[in-house]
Amino acid sequence: YLKKFPFSRRHIVCAWNPLVIDQMALPPCHCLFQFFVREENGKKYLSCQLYQRSCDFFLGVPFNIASYSLLTYIFADCLGYVPDEFVWTGGDVHLYDNHIEQAKLQLSRHPLPPSAQLYIRNHHEFPWEYKFDDFEITGYESHPAIKAPIAV
């Protein structure tokens, strides 16, 4: 649908199904995302917006931002589009009590300059064809990991 009708406003994937919520171990936190395509100078640019209903701001949100950003790159690559913006929207944004000290440590750190680049080595026609070895990240720098327990 993204290839045939790139400028449609209906490129929505919804994981929220009220009929089966009671059958799930945990209702989906990142429950809806939408792709947008714009064209400029003959090139199509792909953006993604995620709505996350429940947002563990220390552990979950950074992982979800990285995951959906990668998903945007994968779809853009499949379609021959240029990856553009990722927009995150949070509903119930929270910091768990057992993450407060870790969050304080995170906030005490100075941000490193953004220098990481993602390269996709092999083009595929469908998103599910990508493998770990198809991706290369260069120039990535990080502070040491901060461990925190997952809260459900």
Side-chain angles (χ1 to χ4, degrees):
Y1 203 76
L2 263 170
K3 195 170 224 169
K4 191 172 180 182
F5 303 104
F7 304 109
S8 172
R9 296 180 302 268
R10 298 176 182 169
H11 303 303
I12 296 174
V13 175
C14 182
W16 191 264
N17 183 347
L19 299 177
V20 294
I21 292 295
D22 62 341
Q23 299 168 32
M24 298 178 183
L26 183 66
C29 293
H30 39 106
C31 56
L32 183 141
F33 67 95
Q34 182 174 11
F35 285 122
F36 300 91
V37 178
R38 68 177 178 87
E39 191 167 21
E40 186 176 310
N41 299 324
K43 290 185 178 181
K44 290 185 177 79
Y45 293 81
L46 183 69
S47 294
C48 178
Q49 180 175 1
L50 169 66
Y51 173 74
Q52 192 168 339
R53 67 153 188 97
S54 181
C55 316
D56 172 351
F57 206 64
F58 184 74
L59 286 180
V61 170
F63 181 81
N64 296 135
I65 288 172
S67 299
Y68 279 90
S69 295
L70 178 60
L71 184 70
T72 304
Y73 268 78
I74 289 171
F75 269 82
D77 188 62
C78 287
L79 296 162
Y81 298 171
V82 178
D84 203 9
E85 295 181 315
F86 172 73
V87 178
W88 180 85
T89 305
D92 179 359
V93 180
H94 47 270
L95 180 65
Y96 288 105
D97 287 341
N98 59 349
H99 296 168
I100 290 174
E101 291 308 312
Q102 293 90 334
K104 286 179 182 177
L105 175 58
Q106 178 78 30
L107 290 169
S108 74
R109 294 177 171 179
H110 293 287
L112 298 171
S115 58
Q117 292 289 316
L118 171 66
Y119 296 97
I120 300 179
R121 293 188 182 120
N122 301 304
H123 169 76
H124 296 286
E125 190 174 350
F126 301 104
W128 53 86
E129 294 176 336
Y130 288 85
K131 305 288 184 240
F132 182 81
D133 291 338
D134 290 328
F135 305 100
E136 179 183 1
I137 297 175
T138 61
Y140 178 75
E141 294 182 56
S142 68
H143 291 286
I146 301 172
K147 297 193 183 266
I150 292 177
V152 178

